[in-house]
Amino acid sequence: MSDSESSDDYDSIAIDKNEWSDLNPINQDHETNEICRIAYTENFNDVFGYFRAVLKANEISERAFDLTYKAVKLNPANYTVWFYRRILLKELGKDLNHELKLVTQIIDQNPKNYQVWQHRRNVVELLQDPSKELEFTEKILQQDSKNYHAWQYRQWVNKNFALWDQELDFVSSLITVDYKNNSAWNHRFFCLINTDHSESVLNREVDYCFEKLNLNINNESVWNYLRGLVDLMVKEGFGYPEKVCQFCNLKLESKKEDELSPFLISFKIDYNWTRAIEKKNSDANAVKEIVQQSILYLNLLAQKYDTIRANYWKYLLSKWKQEFDQYF
Amino acid sequence: MENGEMRMHTDGEVDVRGAYCAISVAKLCNLEQFEPKLFEKVSDWILSCQTYEGGFGASPFNEAHGGYSFCALAALKLMGKESLCDIEKLTYWLVNKQMKFEGGFQGRTNKLVDCCYSFWQGGMFPIIHSVLMSDSDYLQENQNWLFDSESLQEYILICCQANFGGIIDKPGKNRDYYHTCYGLSGLSVSQYCMDNTVNICENDDSLVNRTHPLFNIGFEGANRAINYFKDHLIETLD
């Protein structure tokens, strides 16, 4: 809950009714049998009562502008207030750099609120000045490295202002701190797609995955990223990277139980499916071997290594049977 | 919007929730009678929100996330376009969101369990089942969803009930209406199979009513609403 009604802030958000004697506040339309009436404070009711009046009268004035400040401090999620404030910003010719400072403060206090991030986007778009934006999102991500709004906003800044230079280093430093930060891995893929994803770069990225998998073979973020890379390489016509098969086979041969990650096994099964389909009408022996290995792995997953997903592994088994019935 | 995006409100944020809200209301109230081309480009935009992981993000390239994935898939299903996404990739991502120790679902890869995802993630399974079963005798015969229903029900009922009633995110958190709503919705999805048979994993009085997997309102109520608006064409405002 917001603590914006603490005594420090009280004067800046309290309303002076003398200033508003010319307007009648409009009450929120309460039905007589509300299931759960919110216990607003008197000040909250005053601020929003006058806001509704200002909105209805379409009043463009300094006092209206100040009122929207009080209103967003009390409820930063009220998108109607933000909407009206944007109109006032424009009509009154307000200093947008000052507004940027304000929204910085409000996001800092409410980092998971949709409206404040949207407001920042609107202001920065008008200013056409992204110079503070990467630093700002970095600061928010230092508080919460997976804040969805921060990542989403950063992606918009990158794309809208073509600011890509810092991104790979930024994302790599976050992955070094926490190699399971999936938001960072997702951002890495986003950067790749929007910048250089030539064959040599993608090969480098595959090596990067191996490096991280050698630290922890059971990291879903890396396996998902690797799948994305491999799909991209095939799509771009570079072909399936042999070293990925080799890496997987090496790991699968390991006798250590904790090396047999379900993600590793399912990655191999997925690879096997593509190979088996390819060779279906040309190399029966190879297909038989692939099918048998896949059945073995699927049963291992369903019965031992990943039992919570047993229903899914059994479904995949049925798909293999359906497609390669003669090899069962 | 021109490229199929939908804003949450005037100059508000663009994300797939907007598309889902608009489409689900339009379908329930049969609004397309006025504007058959209302959602023409929206499905393409939604499809572009599917990431390399298989789930959907809020906007193109945003991280795959349970809440947004549900909105995307349900919206696509309502438009009859659910088969246009990569269903296999989505399914693989989705099944891996069930936590093997907790039994509940996480919203994103490598994040923590949260009871509300019982619905956002769990609720996608009926939709996926309806797509995959057209090409699978196994799924036509097998009425259970592709996740571990028992483990989910246990997580909700054993780990997520607050002492004096209400449902919570995870042990240690406080109750609220949002988690109560989506915990119960997820419970409902787990308890009813494709053919409407019941699958109760705790005691019998834990059975809740059946929710509609696309609208998440009571199943019967949703059907009544759809039929009402189909039969009663609304007068135009002018």
Side-chain angles (χ1 to χ4, degrees):
Chain A
M1 300 302 291
S2 161
D3 62 355
S4 51
E5 286 211 53
S6 67
S7 52
D8 311 310
D9 256 329
Y10 191 75
D11 286 335
S12 69
I13 54 164
I15 195 164
D16 179 2
K17 291 201 207 178
N18 293 323
E19 219 189 288
W20 293 95
S21 52
D22 59 305
L23 260 189
N24 282 325
I26 299 177
N27 283 328
Q28 195 170 17
D29 191 17
H30 291 301
E31 290 171 22
T32 47
N33 295 313
E34 275 174 301
I35 294 169
C36 182
R37 180 180 292 213
I38 298 175
Y40 299 118
T41 62
E42 192 186 325
N43 186 59
F44 190 102
N45 270 324
D46 288 341
V47 167
F48 280 94
Y50 285 109
F51 173 72
R52 282 182 282 269
V54 151
L55 192 66
K56 187 166 185 185
N58 244 311
E59 180 176 316
I60 307 290
S61 67
E62 283 297 328
R63 72 172 182 177
F65 187 71
D66 292 337
L67 185 63
T68 60
Y69 174 78
K70 295 187 201 310
V72 298
K73 288 293 278 183
L74 286 169
N75 183 6
N78 190 316
Y79 50 81
T80 308
V81 180
W82 285 112
F83 170 77
Y84 200 68
R85 187 176 172 89
R86 285 192 279 274
I87 292 174
L88 292 166
L89 277 170
K90 182 180 166 214
E91 296 299 323
L92 296 171
K94 287 301 196 180
D95 178 352
L96 293 176
N97 283 302
H98 188 263
E99 187 70 2
L100 191 62
K101 284 202 183 85
L102 174 87
V103 84
T104 298
Q105 205 186 72
I106 294 199
I107 292 176
D108 213 37
Q109 292 161 353
N110 304 277
K112 293 196 177 186
N113 167 309
Y114 283 90
Q115 289 70 38
V116 298
W117 284 98
Q118 181 61 26
H119 191 67
R120 190 181 183 99
R121 196 185 285 219
N122 290 336
V123 170
V124 166
E125 207 152 29
L126 286 169
L127 278 171
Q128 282 296 303
D129 174 14
S131 58
K132 300 183 186 64
E133 301 315 289
L134 296 181
E135 192 185 324
F136 175 71
T137 55
E138 183 170 346
K139 178 173 167 245
I140 298 293
L141 289 170
Q142 272 162 11
Q143 296 163 17
D144 173 3
S145 65
K146 301 181 184 187
N147 182 315
Y148 201 90
H149 302 277
W151 284 110
Q152 191 174 13
Y153 183 78
R154 194 178 175 104
Q155 283 192 353
W156 173 76
V157 172
N158 294 143
K159 196 142 194 193
N160 206 51
F161 296 101
L163 291 174
W164 300 105
D165 296 342
Q166 295 177 36
E167 293 317 282
L168 205 59
D169 284 341
F170 177 65
V171 123
S172 296
S173 69
L174 284 169
I175 290 173
T176 301
V177 164
D178 175 8
Y179 56 53
K180 289 194 175 185
N181 185 336
N182 197 66
S183 306
W185 284 99
N186 180 74
H187 195 71
R188 196 179 180 99
F189 197 85
F190 163 74
C191 295
L192 207 65
I193 288 283
N194 284 291
T195 58
D196 181 4
H197 47 270
S198 58
E199 193 172 5
S200 59
V201 167
L202 294 179
N203 272 310
R204 179 203 74 201
E205 288 298 300
V206 169
D207 290 337
Y208 186 74
C209 288
F210 292 162
E211 186 191 309
K212 300 306 174 190
L213 286 173
N214 283 326
L215 294 174
N216 183 336
I217 193 74
N218 203 42
N219 185 348
E220 189 182 346
S221 292
V222 189
W223 284 108
N224 288 352
Y225 186 78
L226 187 59
R227 279 179 184 244
L229 282 180
V230 160
D231 288 346
L232 187 57
M233 287 168 105
V234 169
K235 186 173 151 220
E236 299 281 293
F238 305 140
Y240 195 100
E242 266 310 300
K243 60 183 176 181
V244 172
C245 315
Q246 286 159 13
F247 179 86
C248 290
N249 288 333
L250 197 67
K251 293 294 179 186
L252 284 165
E253 283 157 20
S254 164
K255 300 289 181 234
K256 297 183 213 161
E257 287 273 301
D258 60 357
E259 289 269 81
L260 289 171
S261 153
F263 303 118
L264 163 67
I265 301 173
S266 65
F267 189 94
K268 185 74 206 287
I269 294 167
D270 206 52
Y271 172 80
N272 280 354
W273 178 269
T274 316
R275 284 294 152 271
I277 296 277
E278 251 172 42
K279 294 177 191 279
K280 197 173 179 188
N281 299 315
S282 58
D283 189 345
N285 284 324
V287 174
K288 185 174 180 190
E289 213 175 293
I290 293 170
V291 169
Q292 284 177 348
Q293 186 189 64
S294 304
I295 297 169
L296 176 74
Y297 282 154
L298 284 165
N299 281 315
L300 270 176
L301 286 171
Q303 290 157 22
K304 191 173 178 194
Y305 291 121
D306 204 23
T307 55
I308 193 146
R309 274 165 274 285
N311 285 352
Y312 175 69
W313 303 125
K314 287 179 196 164
Y315 161 68
L316 282 194
L317 257 168
S318 79
K319 291 250 72 156
W320 277 87
K321 189 167 202 302
Q322 200 176 321
E323 187 70 34
F324 301 104
D325 193 30
Q326 67 263 52
Y327 299 101
F328 266 67
Chain B
M1 309 284 294
E2 231 174 54
N3 60 350
E5 305 175 334
M6 299 217 59
R7 288 194 185 275
M8 291 298 289
H9 58 86
T10 311
D11 77 23
E13 65 272 21
V14 165
D15 69 49
V16 75
R17 295 172 303 154
Y20 170 71
C21 291
I23 292 164
S24 58
V25 167
K27 286 291 176 185
L28 267 176
C29 304
N30 192 15
L31 294 178
E32 273 168 302
Q33 60 180 289
F34 302 117
E35 193 55 70
K37 294 193 176 179
L38 189 60
F39 299 119
E40 212 170 45
K41 294 199 180 126
V42 176
S43 55
D44 283 338
W45 184 79
I46 296 176
L47 291 170
S48 73
C49 294
Q50 186 168 26
T51 77
Y52 68 91
E53 289 199 272
F56 293 79
S59 296
F61 296 110
N62 294 166
E63 191 182 1
H65 177 293
Y68 297 115
S69 296
F70 174 82
C71 290
L73 187 64
L76 286 172
K77 176 74 182 175
L78 286 166
M79 292 188 286
K81 303 266 171 88
E82 69 279 10
S83 317
L84 294 182
C85 73
D86 189 336
I87 273 281
E88 279 83 19
K89 249 190 138 64
L90 173 64
T91 307
Y92 175 76
W93 172 81
L94 184 59
V95 296
N96 277 293
K97 298 290 135 290
Q98 186 167 24
M99 312 292 278
K100 66 183 191 191
F101 293 116
E102 298 94 315
F105 283 93
Q106 65 190 174
R108 301 182 250 170
T109 304
N110 278 327
K111 286 206 80 179
L112 300 177
V113 74
D114 180 335
C115 197
C116 71
Y117 293 114
S118 308
F119 180 74
W120 301 122
Q121 306 284 38
M124 278 194 269
F125 284 91
I127 306 174
I128 286 174
H129 203 104
S130 75
V131 177
L132 295 178
M133 69 188 247
S134 59
D135 191 32
S136 165
D137 291 340
Y138 176 84
L139 287 182
Q140 284 174 28
E141 291 150 25
N142 204 311
Q143 293 304 316
N144 295 314
W145 310 125
L146 288 177
F147 68 95
D148 186 330
S149 208
E150 185 175 345
S151 296
L152 180 65
Q153 292 187 41
E154 286 176 346
Y155 178 68
I156 299 168
L157 294 169
I158 298 170
C159 306
C160 291
Q161 293 199 74
N163 278 330
F164 298 101
I167 294 184
I168 61 181
D169 160 355
K170 57 173 72 63
K173 301 279 187 168
N174 290 322
R175 64 190 178 175
D176 61 54
Y177 287 108
Y178 168 80
H179 288 95
T180 302
C181 171
Y182 290 104
L184 289 174
S185 305
L187 186 64
S188 178
V189 169
S190 307
Q191 288 179 340
Y192 291 89
C193 302
M194 192 76 193
D195 59 358
N196 212 10
T197 56
V198 147
N199 175 22
I200 314 169
C201 297
E202 290 296 301
N203 48 14
D204 286 347
D205 56 2
S206 71
L207 184 68
V208 294
N209 287 334
R210 190 178 177 201
T211 190
H212 193 294
L214 296 175
F215 302 107
N216 198 23
I217 59 178
F219 195 85
E220 299 308 324
N223 287 330
R224 273 201 305 275
I226 292 169
N227 290 327
Y228 175 87
F229 285 104
K230 230 183 251 173
D231 296 337
H232 295 79
L233 297 180
I234 303 164
E235 303 283 312
T236 53
L237 292 171
D238 45 41

